[in-house]
Amino acid sequence: MTQQTSYNTGKGAGETVGVALLGFGTVGQAAYRLMNEYADEFTERAGGPIEIRGVAVSDLSRPREGVDPDLLTDDAMSLVLRDDIDLVVEVIGGIDLPRKLVLAALRAGKSVVTANKALVAAHADELAEAADASGADLFFEAAVAAAIPVVGPLRRSLAGDRVNRVMGIVNGTTNFILDAMDESGASYDEMLAEATRLGYAEADPTADVDGYDAASKAAILASIAFHTRVSADDVYREGVREITAADIASAKAVGCTIKLLALCERLVDSDGKESVSARVYPALVPRNHPLASVSQSFNAVFVEAEAAGRLMFYGNGAGGNPTASAVLGDVIGASRNIVLGGRAPGESVYASLPIASFGSIDTRYHVVMHVKDQVGVLADVAKCFANRGISLKTVRQEGSENGARLVVVTHMAREDDLEKTVADVSSIDTVLSVERVLRMEGDD
Amino acid sequence: MTQQTSYNTGKGAGETVGVALLGFGTVGQAAYRLMNEYADEFTERAGGPIEIRGVAVSDLSRPREGVDPDLLTDDAMSLVLRDDIDLVVEVIGGIDLPRKLVLAALRAGKSVVTANKALVAAHADELAEAADASGADLFFEAAVAAAIPVVGPLRRSLAGDRVNRVMGIVNGTTNFILDAMDESGASYDEMLAEATRLGYAEADPTADVDGYDAASKAAILASIAFHTRVSADDVYREGVREITAADIASAKAVGCTIKLLALCERLVDSDGKESVSARVYPALVPRNHPLASVSQSFNAVFVEAEAAGRLMFYGNGAGGNPTASAVLGDVIGASRNIVLGGRAPGESVYASLPIASFGSIDTRYHVVMHVKDQVGVLADVAKCFANRGISLKTVRQEGSENGARLVVVTHMAREDDLEKTVADVSSIDTVLSVERVLRMEGDD
């Protein structure tokens, strides 16, 4: 049974919602500007005026344009706890400080809107408990794919369905890099430099290129889709640093492009027992799959549900304005409940499905081997796959400088079995090395 | 100010929601089956059990499989008004009967979920008034593009943004026909017959092929997107009956395909005055536009918002299961409010923008003329366009049986001006006829 048993009854139509804006970076500035620009419309939509009553920044001495200086403070906690604050909008980033502030707000019965995927993915449990205890709302549409409505559609629109799979391109930086590599044939390092120059990648790109950002989003998506608590630590993760121009070319040769995917899957074993897999890795995607054509820094989330079938949501997954759009949608929703009463659906983890081990997932594989150019190699390699029960869809041999490259694409196979097969193949005398194993996702 | 000032406080967590299902066709049967199959999960998601307590059908003598016979009744009104019914699910179709039943339910304070686009588009005003007066919820996600979440994302996720344009493929039957014509080069009549044979078109295809269905959806989308009441009568409408294989070939020649579009636009005149345009017509769409690749009976809705930028929602726009998915998402939402209290955002029409006359819209045009094959024709035609201030993007001349075909694509021009230009062109001696004017939408 849901924990939600008490509802706030609302301040009453026409009452003002006092907002604390925590953070005044790109997203904070956009949200501030739009909230002022759309103030009259927001009043109509929320049932009462929404007023920014304080803006918390880390450094008061820095000049800030376009903000009423009387609103600025560097004491975020005092602002959050002020009696005239009903709603806290957290767009600081990081984990420790926002966690303290968001928890304090929720415990004080103040609703929170956050764009912070790392916070939500790492601390969903205590945030949800605090919100449920006080009856406050916790919204985070902006935490996944920015402007693209994903959290709301999964939580509300698909509430009457059974989601089996969510597959998304949820990191704009890596999509920009991989798309540029695909377009130009250039190397990862060159395209990372390009992304940095154009502002798509940060000075330290770790969170993006090593898949941490996508893993946080995968955890959030899996939690909502499967009504199960999935944290970032539960997500298997591989980044894109090692993707080479040769990998992209290899993918092209089999009609694919390479995308960094966040995959959330409901697994059912032979006894009918269900579990959940959440994983992030670069994978080959067939060019005619809708996700293959997601270019530049765009994001898209593909959902398969029992009754709805296949759905896709596409749009801007990053940037000040798109992120602010999602934040402000939540601000309206939270404000409406503060004014008129009611509470949005909160965390729903009743299903409590176990997290599947990564070795137990099934997918297809694209394996590149460097082999001696002599008779019988193919037969030896094929035998290794057959011995583990893995059938091959295509086999391709290419000449290379010293020896040959053998490229196989498998049918569906279990990760554990594939790993053992790779070990087997590596031990063949005529196989110089297994250069690369990449997974292949998306069957149309 | 919103009219919503009072909220129901909820029956209390764990209390049962009594549901009346009106209609047991494809969608009703799917909804019934899934509600039973997912009963335990729905209880968790809604905060209390959801129980179907009656199913209204028109003919009790017809054998019905898979439904508890004790639940069946042919007296829908008595069922709706029964004390143990909290929520009414209307999937009958048509307008008059459902209107009476839905109004009776809302007036009695019972929430309603409907998939009925014609009803919502024709009677939004009285339905909203009845819901607002009693505090009941009125949900209709399934009325637009079935399983694809569109109403929810526009109403909630984009509540903090400013939507400027909604452009959708919202009728699966016509998309199937046009896509098949594009693929095969066959005629409209052949592909309509094929659609009928495969169950994509009804015996009387009028509602689909003449654009009435799409017009209802355009009215609903425009109402929500622009916070303005737009009814089906406000929507300019042209169907697809007159689209020929030659039109499709002509579109291909300029890199386009033809789609039946539902277009909702915020117009701003030179004085900054805003108005709303809602229209349905077949239009040329460039092949690299995301909507061009929406094949078969799939639907997609493209949204442009100020801060979010461009978004697209894609999926199954028809069928029993996909429609039931949307209906049941609403059933969970409505049930949650019945159990735990609160109310979903209802109709929001505060903006009350005027409806723009069709003649005042701006778009691009693809005009096919049958002309005499002699010197000077092109100059005469071009002069007509120039006289009305319409500039041409491309001009193409093709030989034809007697004379020649002249095909021009214009830059953005006003509908009124284009109409006058066509009259001017028609009066030129060397122009035998203006065969076809089609609009062109989607600039990337």
Side-chain angles (χ1 to χ4, degrees):
Chain A
M1 182 55 50
T2 171
Q3 295 170 46
Q4 296 159 20
T5 53
S6 70
Y7 263 3
N8 87 76
T9 49
K11 294 174 82 166
E15 295 295 313
T16 301
V17 176
V19 174
L21 178 61
L22 312 184
F24 203 66
T26 322
V27 177
Q29 289 172 47
Y32 183 90
R33 183 176 53 75
L34 293 169
M35 281 179 77
N36 283 297
E37 190 177 330
Y38 297 154
D40 291 347
E41 303 210 40
F42 280 16
T43 301
E44 297 288 347
R45 297 178 194 176
I50 304 174
E51 193 178 290
I52 298 179
R53 289 182 170 157
V55 178
V57 295
S58 56
D59 181 0
L60 274 177
S61 67
R62 253 177 70 187
R64 315 255 172 198
E65 293 226 350
V67 56
D68 178 351
D70 292 345
L71 293 180
L72 293 174
T73 173
D74 57 3
D75 183 356
M77 186 59 88
S78 299
L79 173 60
V80 163
L81 297 176
R82 253 167 53 183
D83 283 346
D84 64 338
I85 297 300
D86 306 297
L87 173 60
V88 172
V89 177
E90 188 275 304
V91 288
I92 304 176
I95 294 194
D96 291 345
L97 175 62
R99 173 174 162 263
K100 279 181 203 140
L101 296 168
V102 167
L103 281 174
L106 293 173
R107 286 178 183 144
K110 301 173 188 216
S111 292
V112 170
V113 173
T114 176
N116 193 326
K117 62 226 70 166
L119 173 65
V120 174
H123 297 287
D125 47 355
E126 59 177 353
L127 298 180
E129 273 161 33
D132 285 341
S134 72
D137 273 326
L138 172 63
F139 285 93
F140 47 85
E141 179 66 69
V144 182
I148 311 172
V150 175
V151 173
L154 278 174
R155 182 166 272 175
R156 296 181 184 269
S157 315
L158 288 162
D161 207 330
R162 188 176 171 80
V163 175
N164 289 323
R165 195 174 159 90
V166 179
M167 185 158 76
I169 294 172
V170 292
N171 181 272
T173 306
T174 48
N175 201 60
F176 179 88
I177 294 171
L178 293 172
D179 185 47
M181 289 174 73
D182 188 87
E183 286 281 321
S184 68
S187 74
Y188 168 78
D189 287 335
E190 286 172 286
M191 291 302 103
L192 171 61
E194 173 85 353
T196 310
R197 200 175 57 75
L198 294 172
Y200 288 117
E202 294 181 50
D204 175 2
T206 305
D208 293 318
V209 302
D210 289 336
Y212 290 100
D213 174 81
S216 290
K217 292 163 178 170
I220 296 171
L221 290 170
S223 299
I224 300 172
F226 305 127
H227 299 270
T228 288
R229 193 169 285 156
V230 179
S231 85
D233 293 340
D234 297 320
V235 181
Y236 175 88
R237 181 184 49 74
E238 287 178 22
V240 302
R241 277 189 205 266
E242 298 188 357
I243 299 297
T244 62
D247 292 330
I248 302 273
S250 249
K252 277 191 182 173
V254 290
C256 291
T257 183
I258 296 180
K259 296 290 189 191
L260 183 68
L261 297 181
L263 266 149
C264 311
E265 239 177 352
R266 181 194 300 274
L267 305 181
V268 187
D269 71 13
S270 50
D271 301 328
K273 284 241 173 73
E274 297 193 341
S275 60
V276 165
S277 161
R279 48 198 207 262
V280 168
Y281 46 60
L284 278 73
V285 176
R287 293 219 172 250
N288 60 353
H289 190 282
L291 288 178
S293 55
V294 175
S295 63
Q296 299 172 353
S297 66
F298 281 96
N299 281 195
V301 177
F302 197 74
V303 177
E304 291 180 26
E306 199 76 30
R310 292 167 171 212
L311 302 169
M312 192 170 85
F313 307 88
Y314 168 90
N316 285 307
N321 280 338
T323 308
S325 171
V327 165
L328 295 178
D330 283 349
V331 163
I332 300 286
S335 295
R336 208 176 153 274
N337 289 347
I338 290 166
V339 172
L340 299 168
R343 191 169 173 234
E347 191 188 44
S348 167
V349 293
Y350 68 84
S352 290
L353 298 177
I355 308 296
S357 72
F358 185 65
S360 68
I361 68 149
D362 282 298
T363 187
R364 290 174 296 154
Y365 300 85
H366 178 266
V367 184
V368 181
M369 290 151 281
H370 186 197
V371 300
K372 287 185 186 163
D373 195 1
Q374 64 186 60
V375 175
V377 179
L378 177 55
D380 291 343
V381 168
K383 199 175 161 199
C384 288
F385 280 90
N387 283 345
R388 299 282 179 190
I390 301 177
S391 65
L392 303 182
K393 192 183 174 200
T394 63
V395 178
R396 203 173 75 247
Q397 190 159 340
E398 299 164 354
S400 80
E401 280 180 30
N402 35 17
R405 275 159 56 91
L406 190 64
V407 182
V408 307
V409 175
T410 74
H411 283 292
M412 291 295 275
R414 201 179 141 104
E415 185 74 27
D416 271 345
D417 295 332
L418 193 281
E419 202 177 304
K420 288 175 197 156
T421 307
V422 167
D424 298 344
V425 167
S426 301
S427 70
I428 301 175
D429 284 349
T430 49
V431 173
L432 303 172
S433 67
V434 176
E435 281 184 22
R436 169 77 87 225
V437 177
L438 284 170
R439 297 167 192 89
M440 185 184 277
E441 304 286 347
D443 52 17
D444 62 346
Chain B
M1 183 56 51
T2 171
Q3 294 172 48
Q4 296 159 19
T5 52
S6 69
Y7 264 2
N8 86 76
T9 50
K11 294 174 84 167
E15 293 294 316
T16 301
V17 176
V19 174
L21 178 61
L22 311 184
F24 203 68
T26 322
V27 177
Q29 289 172 47
Y32 182 91
R33 183 177 51 75
L34 293 169
M35 281 179 77
N36 283 298
E37 190 178 330
Y38 298 155
D40 292 345
E41 303 210 41
F42 280 17
T43 302
E44 298 287 347
R45 297 177 194 176
I50 304 174
E51 192 179 292
I52 299 179
R53 290 182 170 156
V55 178
V57 295
S58 55
D59 180 0
L60 274 178
S61 67
R62 252 178 73 187
R64 314 255 172 197
E65 293 224 350
V67 57
D68 178 352
D70 293 345
L71 293 180
L72 293 173
T73 172
D74 60 1
D75 183 356
M77 186 59 87
S78 297
L79 174 60
V80 163
L81 297 176
R82 253 166 54 184
D83 282 345
D84 64 339
I85 297 298
D86 307 297
L87 173 61
V88 172
V89 177
E90 187 275 303
V91 287
I92 305 176
I95 294 193
D96 291 345
L97 175 62
R99 173 175 160 263
K100 279 182 203 137
L101 296 169
V102 167
L103 281 174
L106 293 172
R107 284 178 185 145
K110 299 171 189 218
S111 292
V112 171
V113 172
T114 176
N116 193 325
K117 62 227 70 169
L119 173 65
V120 174
H123 297 288
D125 47 355
E126 58 177 353
L127 298 180
E129 273 160 31
D132 285 342
S134 73
D137 273 327
L138 172 62
F139 284 93
F140 47 86
E141 178 66 68
V144 182
I148 312 172
V150 175
V151 172
L154 278 173
R155 183 165 272 175
R156 295 181 186 267
S157 315
L158 288 162
D161 208 331
R162 190 178 169 79
V163 175
N164 288 323
R165 194 174 161 91
V166 179
M167 184 158 77
I169 294 172
V170 292
N171 181 271
T173 306
T174 48
N175 201 61
F176 179 89
I177 295 171
L178 294 172
D179 185 45
M181 290 173 72
D182 188 87
E183 286 282 321
S184 68
S187 74
Y188 168 79
D189 286 334
E190 287 171 285
M191 292 301 103
L192 171 60
E194 172 84 352
T196 309
R197 199 174 58 76
L198 294 173
Y200 288 117
E202 294 180 50
D204 175 2
T206 305
D208 294 317
V209 302
D210 289 337
Y212 291 99
D213 173 81
S216 290
K217 292 164 179 170
I220 295 170
L221 289 171
S223 299
I224 299 172
F226 306 128
H227 299 270
T228 288
R229 193 169 285 156
V230 180
S231 84
D233 293 339
D234 297 321
V235 180
Y236 175 88
R237 183 184 48 74
E238 286 178 22
V240 302
R241 277 188 206 267
E242 299 187 356
I243 299 297
T244 62
D247 292 330
I248 302 272
S250 249
K252 277 191 183 175
V254 291
C256 290
T257 184
I258 296 180
K259 296 290 186 191
L260 183 68
L261 297 181
L263 266 149
C264 311
E265 238 177 354
R266 181 195 299 275
L267 305 180
V268 186
D269 73 11
S270 51
D271 301 328
K273 283 241 173 73
E274 297 193 344
S275 60
V276 165
S277 161
R279 48 199 208 262
V280 168
Y281 46 61
L284 279 74
V285 176
R287 292 218 173 249
N288 60 353
H289 190 281
L291 288 178
S293 55
V294 176
S295 63
Q296 300 172 350
S297 67
F298 281 96
N299 280 195
V301 177
F302 197 74
V303 176
E304 291 180 24
E306 200 76 30
R310 293 166 171 213
L311 302 169
M312 192 170 86
F313 307 89
Y314 168 91
N316 284 307
N321 280 339
T323 308
S325 172
V327 165
L328 295 178
D330 283 350
V331 164
I332 300 285
S335 295
R336 206 175 155 276
N337 290 345
I338 290 165
V339 172
L340 299 168
R343 191 169 174 235
E347 190 189 43
S348 167
V349 293
Y350 66 84
S352 290
L353 299 176
I355 308 295
S357 71
F358 185 65
S360 68
I361 66 148
D362 283 297
T363 187
R364 290 172 297 153
Y365 300 86
H366 178 265
V367 184
V368 180
M369 290 152 281
H370 187 196
V371 299
K372 288 185 186 161
D373 194 2
Q374 64 185 60
V375 175
V377 179
L378 175 56
D380 291 343
V381 168
K383 200 175 158 198
C384 288
F385 281 88
N387 283 345
R388 299 283 179 188
I390 300 176
S391 63
L392 302 182
K393 192 183 172 201
T394 63
V395 179
R396 204 175 73 247
Q397 192 159 338
E398 301 164 353
S400 80
E401 280 180 30
N402 36 18
R405 276 160 54 92
L406 190 65
V407 182
V408 307
V409 175
T410 74
H411 284 291
M412 291 294 276
R414 202 180 141 104
E415 186 74 28
D416 271 345
D417 294 333
L418 193 280
E419 203 178 302
K420 288 176 196 155
T421 306
V422 168
D424 297 346
V425 168
S426 303
S427 69
I428 300 175
D429 284 348
T430 48
V431 173
L432 302 172
S433 68
V434 176
E435 284 184 21
R436 172 75 88 224
V437 177
L438 284 171
R439 296 166 194 91
M440 186 184 278
E441 304 286 347
D443 51 17
D444 61 345

